[in-house]
Amino acid sequence: MRDAFGVYVHWPFCLAKCPYCDFNSHVRHEKPDEARYARAIATELASLKPRTHSKEVTSIFFGGGTPSLMQPSTVQSVLDEIARHWTISKDAEITLEANPTSVEAERFRGYRAAGVNRVSLGVQALDDGSLKNLGRMHSAAEALAAVEVARQNFPRISFDLIYARSGQSPQAWREELAKALTFVPEHLSLYQLTIEPGTTFEMLHRAGKLITPDEDTSRALWDITQELCEAHGMPAYEISNHSTTGAESRHNLVYWRYQEYAGVGPGAHGRIGADGGRVATSTEKNPERWLASVEAKGHGLIEDEKLTKLEQADEMLVMGLRLAEGIDVARFERLTGVSLNPERVSFLESKGLVERSKDARLRVTASGFPLLNAIVADLAA
Ligand SMILES: C[S@@+](CC[C@H](N)C(=O)[O-])C[C@H]1O[C@@H](n2cnc3c(N)ncnc32)[C@H](O)[C@@H]1O
Ligand code: SF4
């Protein structure tokens, strides 16, 4: 497998906080000083460069928050800075996460000119009632119009939907997903609604004012997701991500395959260094504190820890078993110095939850995927 190296850039601002979201996103009355943030991102890139093992960047991801609030010139200046420190490979995947409003769509041409070649749009739902419940600031028609503008501007697009929403029936999801598949023929991220701690949805859920589908309905929604996407030639290559062959998100594969990535911006995570000497980094989440730290110290790191082999083993399992391709057992053992417990593997195999492929990979089966967390917990050190 080719050595991959990704750079993640976090843009932490949103126009409003969605009630289900626990990402590092902040609402500010004043527009942030983008030039100042871009300079701080440049400073962090310079401080991470000597600590990375890879010389060539194969993917860049602007995530958020809402990176589509950035001016294209800010995106351009961040890309220029990355190119000052590493070689950006000719076929590098450069993704920007966008909210699908008409205002953001107006900036798509500028992002493309800056070098972005893939957008991932947070469509979330295809009916206005659900979008309102999710606190979104766009209608379904506006989102689909943004998808169309994205298609005209970028060679590759994807969009996100959230399912297992309050009151969503299997039939309604079948129709919604079938419609979505007609709009994006190559890549879709389909997330089951998770009630995240500290969110407004959690408060409503606890108060009994937001009811999520029961276990049987959730399972039916999951099965419909797999059935429709497979019939459309877009099987799950990761537990929540579906694509045609070759259209997988190369940047996200860097995380799941446990390869090297540098993370910059408020609340960004990284895993830098070669196998064996891998370091976990993360930065201050609050944008203003992050900025002050970078300007004073040259970085915003609040975590900078060399991982033990066992920690790497657990991380590699957690990430790798999300993938349909599973993990390379020989690499796992080389990297971690431990073997997978043969009895636990055999037990899970006997239940049909995991399987070994001919090329010595261990992967979760289709019937194992709905139980992924339990399987990982069973195999972890
Ligand atoms: C960083 S977020 C959003 C990017 C962009 N700001 C937007 O809202 O379109 C990435 C994706 O995570 C998903 N997501 C966020 N919170 C979730 C939750 N609680 N349950 C399921 N999916 C969630 C949404 O589909 C979202 O598009
Ligand atoms: S879902 Fe997107 S727009 Fe909504 S708060 Fe989270 S990051 Fe911001």
Side-chain angles (χ1 to χ4, degrees), residues 13-14 16-18 20-21 23 25 64-66 99 124 136:
F13 302 108
C14 291
K17 184 82 185 171
C18 303
Y20 54 84
C21 177
F23 281 81
S25 59
T66 306
N99 284 28
Q124 319 306 6
R136 302 295 290 180

Side-chain angles (χ1 to χ4, degrees), residues 58-63 67-68 75 79 91-98 108 111-121 149-151 153-160 184 186-191 234 237 240-244 246-253 255-256:
T58 53
S59 65
I60 298 169
F61 196 100
F62 290 87
S68 53
V75 171
L79 290 175
D91 61 348
E93 174 189 275
I94 305 180
T95 305
L96 183 132
E97 241 170 25
F108 285 176
Y111 297 139
R112 181 71 190 109
V116 172
N117 53 27
R118 181 174 181 272
V119 283
S120 170
L121 293 135
V149 180
R151 193 200 306 286
N153 280 282
F154 300 97
R156 296 173 63 200
I157 62 171
S158 172
F159 70 64
D160 300 352
V184 174
E186 60 166 29
H187 192 285
L188 273 178
S189 302
L190 304 170
Y191 301 109
M234 287 171 58
Y237 67 97
S240 305
N241 282 276
H242 298 254
S243 83
T244 52
E248 298 87 359
S249 158
R250 273 178 255 152
H251 185 83
N252 288 335
L253 280 175
Y255 305 147
W256 298 319

Side-chain angles (χ1 to χ4, degrees), residues 315-358:
E315 288 197 341
M316 194 171 164
L317 276 180
V318 169
M319 300 309 275
L321 290 179
R322 301 171 64 104
L323 288 171
E325 67 180 25
I327 58 163
D328 173 342
V329 176
R331 179 176 169 233
F332 175 85
E333 294 181 349
R334 210 173 43 243
L335 172 63
T336 63
V338 292
S339 307
L340 284 166
N341 183 323
E343 278 147 35
R344 289 193 213 163
V345 173
S346 300
F347 174 75
L348 293 169
E349 259 177 330
S350 73
K351 298 279 174 205
L353 299 175
V354 301
E355 63 189 9
R356 283 173 186 271
S357 66
K358 282 195 206 83

